[in-house]
Amino acid sequence: TGFSHVSQQLLEETVVSRLVELEQKHKQKNLQAAMIVTDIESAEIRALVGDRQSGYAGFNRALDAKRPVGSLIKPAIYVAALERFEQFNFASLLADEPITLRSDGGGNGQGKKWQPKNYDGKYRHQVPLIDGLVESLNIPTVNLGMNLGLENVANAIHLLGYKEDIVTRPSMLLGAMNMSPLEINQMYLAFARQGELDQIHAINKIVSSYGEILWEFEPVSTKVISTDVAYLIDYALTQVTTRGTAKSLVWRLKNDKVAGKTGTSN
């Protein structure tokens, strides 16, 4: 396998200590966590935690807990936009004003209203496309996704390795769809590999007691994001950790260049 004892131990220790801190700070009990670490070059899973209890043999949250992913979905939308380079670039202006979307309501015009808001509750009138991603702004992202078309956004998510069916509705643009940490890890691997999609995997090969190779993983790389767009997304996700929603990583990981994305869901 590609597992690392050191990485696994670090993950388990981090989960235990951090959950205790969070429970004390927020007066909570029985918080849970899942973590997964993948080697970018080989796509091997290096470490995986599916429960705060080390070695727990029950429900594995890293593999099987499918939860609304929130803003973790946003880079896929911006990939779909930037691939249409004749129409969009980082300087393209996106509207950031109150919007109301209404479901069809079965044809009677009385469908449910959906009024997305930015996390901070503010409106900026217009923002450059790059700020929509770096600052994780909801309304500009919804406007961008509706402009692209929900089917095109769904196609981009599938292209990044997500295999399940996607119900195309506007709320999907803000991550109202369920994925496991493993599925998110797979999707983000293409961003980390300059647009190359590889299958993340735990087992490299199976060998008999006589040294005979019974099965071996065969890597297949597919270019799913153009080189130019992969560079732009990498730049934007690096900006997320320096001036955007994950800028606390700058002082947590000094002297390291980190790309990332935050995602929150209730």
Side-chain angles (χ1 to χ4, degrees), residues 99-116 146 150 167-171:
I99 55 172
T100 301
L101 299 173
R102 191 184 291 273
S103 63
D104 59 22
N108 61 10
Q110 299 298 312
K112 290 182 180 177
K113 287 197 300 184
W114 185 53
Q115 296 175 302
M146 296 301 287
L150 297 179
V167 178
T168 50
R169 54 190 171 211
S171 58

Side-chain angles (χ1 to χ4, degrees), residues 3-13 46-47:
F3 278 97
S4 157
H5 288 292
V6 174
S7 296
Q8 185 66 33
Q9 186 175 350
L10 284 171
L11 247 65
E12 291 176 9
E13 290 173 358
R46 289 279 180 253

Side-chain angles (χ1 to χ4, degrees), residues 8 22 35 56 68-69 77 100 118 127 166 183 190 219-220 224 251:
Q8 185 66 33
L22 289 168
M35 293 180 72
Y56 181 65
V69 299
I77 302 165
T100 301
N118 292 322
V127 295
I166 298 172
E183 288 169 328
V220 178
V224 294
W251 54 265

Side-chain angles (χ1 to χ4, degrees), residues 160-180:
L160 291 166
Y162 181 63
K163 294 181 170 62
E164 302 296 322
D165 291 338
I166 298 172
V167 178
T168 50
R169 54 190 171 211
S171 58
M172 69 180 266
L173 300 170
L174 299 185
M177 52 191 296
N178 296 333
M179 292 188 192
S180 68

Side-chain angles (χ1 to χ4, degrees), residues 24 161 186:
Q24 292 172 349
Q186 179 69 74

